[in-house]
Amino acid sequence: MEAVVREWILLEKGSIESLRTFLLTYVLQRPNLQKYVREQILLAVAVIVKRGSLDKSIDCKSIFHEVSQLISSGNPTVQTLACSILTALLSEFSSSSKTSNIGLSMEFHGNCKRIFQEEDLRQIFMLTVEVLQEFSRREHLSAQLSSVFQRYLALANQVLSWNFLPPNLGRHYIAMFESSQNVLLKPTESWRETLLDSRVMELFFTVHRKIREDSDMAQDSLQCLAQLASLHGPIFPDEGSQVDYLAHFIEGLLNTINGIEIEDSEAVGISSIISNLITVFPRNVLTAIPSELFSSFVNCLTHLTCSFGRSAALEEVLDKDDMVYMEAYDKLLESWLTLVQDDKHFHKGFFTQHAVQVFNSYIQCHLAAPDGTRNLTANGVASREEEEISELQEDDRDQFSDQLASVGMLGRIAAEHCIPLLTSLLEERVTRLHGQLQRHQQQLLASPGSSTIDNKMLDDLYEDIHWLILVTGYLLADDTQGETPLIPPEIMEYSIKHSSEVDINTTLQILGSPGEKASSIPGYNRTDSVIRLLSAVLRVSEVESRAIRADLTHLLSPQMGKDIVWFLKRWAKTYLLVDEKLYDQISVPFSTAFGADTEGSQWIIGYLLQKVISNLSVWSSEQDLANDTVQLLVTLVERRERANLVIQCENWWNLAKQFATRSPPLNFLSSPVQRTLMKALVLGGFAHMDTETKQQYWTEVLQPLQQRFLRVINQENFQQMCQQEEVKQEITATLEALCGIAEATQIDNVAILFNFLMDFLTNCIGLMEVYKNTPETVNLIIEVFVEVAHKQICYLGESKAMNLYEACLTLLQVYSKNNLGRQRIDVTAEEEQYQDLLLIMELLTNLLSKEFIDFSDTDEVFRGHEPGQAANRAVSAADVVLYGVNLILPLMSQDLLKFPTLCNQYYKLITFICEIFPEKIPQLPEDLFKSLMYSLELGMTSYPLNEHCCHLGTKILFNKSSF
């Protein structure tokens, strides 16, 4: 093959044609040839055809004529060979980046592909369709014929999954275009007659009905249909042709799946077809099909969603390896989101009844009998005691976040039904939980030594409450990352719509009496439904608090505790002290209960703060629960308006004093939790207080930290005592607290916090020497610098930035001195250095970010603190970072660069420097330049790193070309 391509221009056209004919004849005459040999010979034929297409020395028509004769022979072996020839051609022409290496440019491969997809690819498809038509007419197929049928079906799938290359696409874009995973069918106009022929679509539905019980073949047939469902682009001459095609397709789909029991192997394929129909076809096309047909389609979607949801829940409980229904269910829920969020084409309430059915089904699957179907032995599910729960298992709220978000959105669409439903289910379970705990308490009082308590009923209640709280959290609020959280418009409209029927006083009474049953309060039916749903969660929280006070903590579920504070954090971010300026209309019950300057907001902040303090005392050993609890505390103080109310609570000051003095049980909290708690206490300190009160607060919160730290490190015998457990704990706690302080940085507090932290950073460099043989402490010291740079560098003016640069470089010099030449004799030591270097790369990247994210010139943060403008700095962040790279490059061994994360971070850093300051690279000292280039060469050639590193390396070289 290589010889032919190499000598191509020297060979006569007849010789090349003779060689191609000889190779095909050789394979034809040897039916028992080994599969690998046959495929390689056919690949050589495909390469010859492709190379010949450049100078038009070979015509594909003659090949297709030969293949057509092979297919019509009726001999299964020969038909299989014909399929192999077509597959080889497809593989060779399909991708410009994965084609055979024949020494020609990517542009050449791209041009070949464009020519091939216009005519030859369509010819292959037509040959394939003819075979499928022939086979689909037969009643029974032998094993050999079934195998041939499967080969051609796979070939059809390959054609329909072809990534059609647009015209005039540059070489860099060709590679990017072809690397896309989810390929939709977007053929050119030349395919119009072929693919818009309704018989082609009907054929694939017929084929699927015929072979659907064969899971392997069914996957190919469903994939073909999914690709046909994604048809779009210039193939449609007008909107009318799209409507006709879509209507015809939906009819075929409904005829295929209505009235049958769907096989496990069909679930994902069918959901992909529906997903493509809904997401690819424009909404105006979807609504233009006959209304009866569209109604049947949505009913079918509703039925499938509920059915797949039940099967997915069963898969989850049975812990199956292949979660086909879960994948299918997720796709259908995404399709629902696409539909229900479009209020331009569908009137309000259009999908309400369907949303009710899907929502009810989801709730039913996650509740125990009699209300739900979870853990029913009829489903073949083991009882709760037999289940094993892995500690490494991801939390449900993270694992099923997409599902819960979709179900929450559907719940909002049908708020009239779903909010009262969740309220009644939660209130009923709170009552049952309270009764169960009371009975257990009475039993324990009657016979203190008794151990015959049956926890199954409690476990079922906890699991029910767990799912109800999760769904409620996702229904009432969105997960906002970096955005201002807003009350969902559907919830606001629902509350406003019913506000005339609401008695505000009764609503506030139900909210403020979590210890009483809602139904025991007179006029409870005249309350705001959203606030009553919140109060149902507060009642769960109150039952938990009372059980703790009654010494029944051993009967409680830490998972339920996590769910409660997670919900309260999510709710508080969105509803507590709602900013009325962000809304056109505001619900009166909301503004009265949670608005600014209301008794309701003051009460609920006090209640939430008490919950935080209780959790940190009782659940300090449950790290996840404690972490969720301090995250709730951060939410209460991260906005100034809420913080102003928090600091008025005596409990807040008690908590601050308790933490500052490292009193139990707060000193038992894990390091990450203590870090976040410190962040919350610092954020609270910037609430509105008079000067004297603020000074008193900082004296109680930050001063003890400084005093204890200096007392420890200034001892004469600190070098001898430094490895004592008590001293190490003090140092670790201080370093974690410093990270927390840095994380609390905001534009209006950076001046105070930076000055406070800089005093510590100098001492931390000294600790690097003392603890150079204690990897976890070294790691934590570097992390302090990373956090300070990450959170504060963008606000610092010239002199402050230089102070931080100097501290960071001194740190790197000490680290480099202590580690250069050190032998790493075991895997653990190497992994420890990997962690250090990863943090150092992050530190340098954070410092470099000063060059493109700099707020110091425009903000008044440090105005008056220092002279000069950031733009006039003599030393740039790039100089500092390159000096830092020079220090750590000698530590970057080949083995360490094999860690993908470290390798990625390193190449990102170098790429940033090259992109922002390409002129700096040629000015580097010769040794550093050589080391840099060597590391680059190493990353691209020496061992198989991931594609990301190679891509970054190529970008660096590309940027270097402009030096």
Side-chain angles (χ1 to χ4, degrees):
M1 179 171 70
E2 290 176 10
V4 173
V5 174
R6 189 172 58 247
E7 306 291 335
W8 188 273
I9 56 173
L10 302 175
L11 295 172
E12 292 181 6
K13 184 178 176 182
S15 302
I16 296 169
E17 183 61 35
S18 299
L19 176 61
R20 185 189 67 76
T21 308
F22 165 74
L23 290 173
L24 274 179
T25 308
Y26 182 86
V27 173
L28 273 170
Q29 291 174 349
R30 291 166 177 78
N32 297 323
L33 201 61
Q34 282 189 342
K35 184 182 176 184
Y36 172 76
V37 176
R38 183 176 68 242
E39 301 297 336
Q40 286 300 304
I41 292 173
L42 292 177
L43 180 61
V45 172
V47 170
I48 290 170
V49 171
K50 186 173 187 178
R51 180 62 185 83
S53 67
L54 180 66
D55 48 19
K56 296 185 170 53
S57 57
I58 289 185
D59 186 8
C60 279
K61 286 181 182 173
S62 60
I63 295 174
F64 292 137
H65 179 67
E66 292 167 18
V67 170
S68 181
Q69 288 182 323
L70 296 177
I71 290 172
S72 59
S73 69
N75 184 332
T77 307
V78 175
Q79 287 174 328
T80 302
L81 177 63
C83 186
S84 296
I85 295 169
L86 296 177
T87 303
L89 284 170
L90 269 184
S91 300
E92 186 55 42
F93 279 91
S94 66
S95 171
S96 308
S97 54
K98 296 178 183 176
T99 187
S100 300
N101 184 8
I102 57 175
L104 291 166
S105 68
M106 187 174 281
E107 284 82 359
F108 162 76
H109 292 296
N111 289 333
C112 288
K113 181 175 181 176
R114 287 190 190 94
I115 295 166
F116 183 82
Q117 71 190 20
E118 282 301 311
E119 187 59 44
D120 301 331
L121 181 64
R122 194 156 47 85
Q123 189 65 38
I124 291 175
F125 184 65
M126 293 309 297
L127 288 170
T128 308
V129 165
E130 285 174 21
V131 176
L132 294 179
Q133 280 176 330
E134 172 63 31
F135 278 68
S136 65
R137 292 191 197 105
R138 302 191 184 188
E139 284 296 319
H140 303 288
L141 294 175
S142 64
Q144 192 179 19
L145 283 177
S146 287
S147 174
V148 176
F149 191 14
Q150 186 169 0
R151 290 286 299 269
Y152 278 92
L153 191 56
L155 183 63
N157 182 13
Q158 206 176 338
V159 174
L160 292 172
S161 300
W162 183 273
N163 202 347
F164 282 84
L165 204 60
N168 307 320
L169 208 59
R171 61 179 300 149
H172 297 294
Y173 293 104
I174 289 174
M176 287 170 59
F177 183 80
E178 291 186 337
S179 64
S180 57
Q181 298 294 312
N182 187 23
V183 177
L184 301 177
L185 184 56
K186 191 179 180 182
T188 55
E189 289 179 37
S190 60
W191 284 71
R192 191 172 288 166
E193 192 178 328
T194 306
L195 287 180
L196 295 190
D197 184 342
S198 60
R199 290 172 298 179
V200 171
M201 185 196 302
E202 287 166 6
L203 169 65
F204 282 98
F205 279 118
T206 305
V207 166
H208 180 68
R209 285 193 288 268
K210 186 178 182 68
I211 52 86
R212 58 183 290 268
E213 291 180 4
D214 183 320
S215 59
D216 291 334
M217 291 174 76
Q219 283 191 350
D220 276 323
S221 63
L222 285 169
Q223 182 60 28
C224 288
L225 287 167
Q227 288 304 108
L228 289 171
S230 72
L231 186 65
H232 66 295
I235 189 168
F236 290 112
D238 51 38
E239 188 180 303
S241 60
Q242 271 186 298
V243 173
D244 291 343
Y245 181 88
L246 180 61
H248 204 83
F249 196 102
I250 290 176
E251 279 177 9
L253 178 65
L254 295 178
N255 290 336
T256 301
I257 61 179
N258 279 348
I260 63 163
E261 189 174 331
I262 290 172
E263 304 282 338
D264 293 358
S265 56
E266 292 179 295
V268 174
I270 289 172
S271 65
S272 296
I273 293 168
I274 292 173
S275 174
N276 284 348
L277 290 175
I278 290 171
T279 54
V280 174
F281 282 86
R283 220 50 27 83
N284 55 310
V285 171
L286 198 59
T287 52
I289 66 173
S291 56
E292 252 184 65
L293 182 61
F294 182 68
S295 179
S296 300
F297 176 60
V298 176
N299 289 336
C300 176
L301 174 58
T302 307
H303 168 73
L304 286 177
T305 309
C306 296
S307 172
F308 288 178
R310 286 189 289 272
S311 300
L314 200 54
E315 278 179 343
E316 173 61 22
V317 175
L318 295 174
D319 200 21
K320 286 191 173 182
D321 293 330
D322 195 11
M323 310 277 275
V324 290
Y325 283 106
M326 191 67 77
E327 186 183 342
Y329 188 51
D330 287 342
K331 280 180 184 290
L332 293 186
L333 286 176
E334 285 172 23
S335 302
W336 274 115
L337 277 192
T338 306
L339 287 176
V340 300
Q341 289 178 324
D342 185 344
D343 52 7
K344 183 180 172 185
H345 293 93
F346 304 109
H347 66 77
K348 208 168 191 176
F350 189 92
F351 294 111
T352 300
Q353 287 310 309
H354 305 100
V356 166
Q357 290 181 54
V358 176
F359 188 88
N360 284 352
S361 169
Y362 190 85
I363 295 294
Q364 193 178 37
C365 291
H366 291 87
L367 295 184
D371 293 327
T373 57
R374 193 188 74 242
N375 292 355
L376 279 182
T377 49
N379 289 335
V381 181
S383 66
R384 186 74 184 166
E385 290 86 356
E386 294 171 33
E387 287 184 35
E388 288 184 18
I389 299 171
S390 167
E391 288 186 7
L392 299 174
Q393 197 169 335
E394 196 178 7
D395 199 290
D396 287 337
R397 70 179 185 228
D398 300 318
Q399 187 178 352
F400 301 110
S401 58
D402 291 341
Q403 252 182 44
L404 286 161
S406 301
V407 170
M409 175 57 78
L410 291 171
R412 293 174 198 170
I413 299 299
E416 297 275 357
H417 166 83
C418 299
I419 289 177
L421 173 68
L422 286 173
T423 305
S424 66
L425 290 170
L426 260 175
E427 286 180 349
E428 191 262 341
R429 274 151 186 78
V430 171
T431 304
R432 280 166 51 191
L433 177 61
H434 186 244
Q436 283 293 320
L437 291 172
Q438 273 190 328
R439 277 190 287 278
H440 283 312
Q441 185 185 24
Q442 289 162 4
Q443 191 175 340
L444 286 168
L445 289 172
S447 50
S450 170
S451 59
T452 58
I453 294 172
D454 175 20
N455 284 335
K456 184 182 185 314
M457 197 170 287
L458 271 179
D459 289 343
D460 279 346
L461 276 174
Y462 288 140
E463 187 73 2
D464 283 5
I465 290 169
H466 164 67
W467 285 105
L468 290 171
I469 289 178
L470 288 188
V471 173
T472 302
Y474 274 90
L475 187 148
L476 290 183
D478 290 314
D479 194 8
T480 52
Q481 294 290 334
E483 297 176 21
T484 302
L486 295 173
I487 298 172
E490 299 86 356
I491 303 298
M492 185 70 86
E493 287 167 19
Y494 172 67
S495 180
I496 291 170
K497 179 182 174 184
H498 293 281
S499 57
S500 60
E501 308 157 17
V502 169
D503 185 306
I504 296 291
N505 290 329
T506 310
T507 300
L508 292 176
Q509 194 179 349
I510 280 193
L511 177 65
S513 314
E516 298 177 37
K517 276 180 70 173
S519 56
S520 68
I521 294 169
Y524 69 93
N525 281 329
R526 296 197 61 205
T527 55
D528 180 89
S529 297
V530 179
I531 295 177
R532 184 165 167 190
L533 179 54
L534 162 69
S535 71
V537 180
L538 294 182
R539 280 165 170 69
V540 179
S541 173
E542 187 61 24
V543 168
E544 182 189 52
S545 300
R546 289 186 176 189
I548 289 168
R549 291 196 291 272
D551 293 329
L552 296 176
T553 311
H554 62 286
L555 293 176
L556 291 174
S557 160
Q559 179 63 57
M560 185 178 79
K562 277 174 62 181
D563 296 332
I564 291 167
V565 287
W566 166 83
F567 171 85
L568 293 173
K569 179 194 78 170
R570 192 180 177 97
W571 172 85
K573 263 182 184 290
T574 306
Y575 290 80
L576 189 53
L577 293 185
V578 57
D579 185 351
E580 298 186 14
K581 295 193 294 293
L582 298 173
Y583 303 91
D584 295 330
Q585 273 186 297
I586 190 83
S587 156
V588 174
F590 287 0
S591 60
T592 308
F594 321 126
D597 304 319
T598 61
E599 286 184 22
S601 58
Q602 182 70 65
W603 175 84
I604 203 160
I605 277 181
Y607 183 86
L608 296 180
L609 189 57
Q610 181 56 47
K611 185 70 185 173
V612 167
I613 292 168
S614 169
N615 275 9
L616 294 180
S617 302
V618 177
W619 300 108
S620 56
S621 60
E622 291 284 342
Q623 184 172 335
D624 288 345
L625 175 47
N627 188 53
D628 280 341
T629 301
V630 288
Q631 292 294 346
L632 168 60
L633 189 63
V634 169
T635 299
L636 292 180
V637 291
E638 65 187 353
R639 252 187 69 201
R640 190 62 50 85
E641 294 82 1
R642 290 197 288 261
N644 291 339
L645 292 180
V646 171
I647 60 159
Q648 294 174 27
C649 301
E650 191 179 339
N651 278 338
W652 173 261
W653 291 80
N654 294 336
L655 177 68
K657 288 175 191 171
Q658 196 180 353
F659 182 68
T661 55
R662 303 254 167 89
S663 306
L666 297 185
N667 61 324
F668 298 134
L669 294 169
S670 66
S671 295
V673 174
Q674 291 201 30
R675 178 188 299 197
T676 311
L677 181 52
M678 189 70 194
K679 174 184 176 181
L681 292 173
V682 171
L683 285 170
F686 290 98
H688 181 68
M689 295 182 253
D690 60 61
T691 309
E692 188 181 338
T693 311
K694 183 159 283 197
Q695 188 57 47
Q696 180 196 347
Y697 183 80
W698 291 129
T699 302
E700 291 184 355
V701 173
L702 294 183
Q703 207 168 306
L705 180 75
Q706 202 166 25
Q707 289 170 347
R708 270 199 317 274
F709 181 64
L710 292 173
R711 192 164 57 243
V712 169
I713 65 170
N714 289 334
Q715 295 175 89
E716 288 183 15
N717 57 347
F718 178 59
Q719 292 276 4
Q720 289 76 42
M721 295 172 58
C722 65
Q723 293 299 334
Q724 290 178 11
E725 197 58 38
E726 190 179 330
V727 175
K728 281 174 69 177
Q729 282 179 1
E730 183 65 42
I731 294 294
T732 300
T734 302
L735 294 171
E736 289 285 0
L738 293 177
C739 289
I741 293 169
E743 286 177 15
T745 299
Q746 293 176 340
I747 192 167
D748 53 359
N749 66 22
V750 65
I752 296 170
L753 295 186
F754 179 75
N755 292 331
F756 178 80
L757 287 166
M758 275 307 296
D759 294 338
F760 280 92
L761 294 187
T762 311
N763 288 317
C764 284
I765 294 167
L767 287 179
M768 286 286 283
E769 286 283 9
V770 177
Y771 286 102
K772 62 185 177 186
N773 295 317
T774 312
E776 60 273 16
T777 308
V778 169
N779 201 265
L780 198 49
I781 291 169
I782 300 171
E783 198 172 342
V784 173
F785 281 78
V786 170
E787 286 300 332
V788 173
H790 178 220
K791 293 291 184 179
Q792 300 192 341
I793 189 72
C794 61
Y795 302 120
L796 303 183
E798 182 183 354
S799 65
K800 301 285 184 188
M802 286 307 300
N803 291 343
L804 183 57
Y805 292 157
E806 287 167 13
C808 291
L809 287 181
T810 309
L811 174 88
L812 296 180
Q813 286 167 343
V814 172
Y815 181 83
S816 177
K817 175 174 72 73
N818 290 337
N819 289 275
L820 201 58
R822 177 180 285 194
Q823 293 293 315
R824 305 282 169 179
I825 54 174
D826 59 13
V827 175
T828 311
E830 190 177 69
E831 286 184 2
E832 285 162 356
Q833 188 170 26
Y834 151 71
Q835 292 291 346
D836 292 346
L837 289 172
L838 190 60
L839 281 171
I840 288 170
M841 291 296 165
E842 195 178 338
L843 171 62
L844 294 175
T845 306
N846 290 342
L847 292 177
L848 190 60
S849 70
K850 179 71 172 169
E851 296 299 336
F852 48 91
I853 305 175
D854 189 353
F855 302 133
S856 61
D857 291 341
T858 53
D859 294 318
E860 299 290 326
V861 180
F862 281 96
R863 209 50 68 95
H865 286 256
E866 56 186 74
Q869 293 283 321
N872 299 322
R873 288 200 303 272
V875 180
S876 73
D879 294 319
V880 178
V881 171
L882 281 168
Y883 184 68
V885 170
N886 191 27
L887 288 173
I888 61 157
L889 255 180
L891 302 172
M892 297 281 286
S893 66
Q894 288 193 33
D895 289 336
L896 281 170
L897 269 176
K898 288 178 182 175
F899 286 99
T901 314
L902 179 64
C903 192
N904 274 350
Q905 194 72 33
Y906 173 72
Y907 280 95
K908 279 180 186 175
L909 176 63
I910 303 303
T911 307
F912 278 156
I913 297 171
C914 289
E915 287 182 338
I916 303 167
F917 292 107
E919 73 279 359
K920 297 278 184 187
I921 304 298
Q923 298 168 12
L924 292 174
E926 188 178 352
D927 289 346
L928 175 55
F929 184 81
K930 284 181 178 176
S931 298
L932 201 63
M933 291 303 106
Y934 174 69
S935 70
L936 183 58
E937 181 187 354
L938 191 71
M940 294 178 71
T941 60
S942 295
Y943 33 75
L945 293 170
N946 59 45
E947 291 177 15
H948 187 49
C949 292
C950 292
H951 176 61
L952 287 171
T954 309
K955 278 177 75 177
I956 292 171
L957 291 176
F958 182 70
N959 283 330
K960 256 188 90 249
S961 66
S962 63
F963 296 160

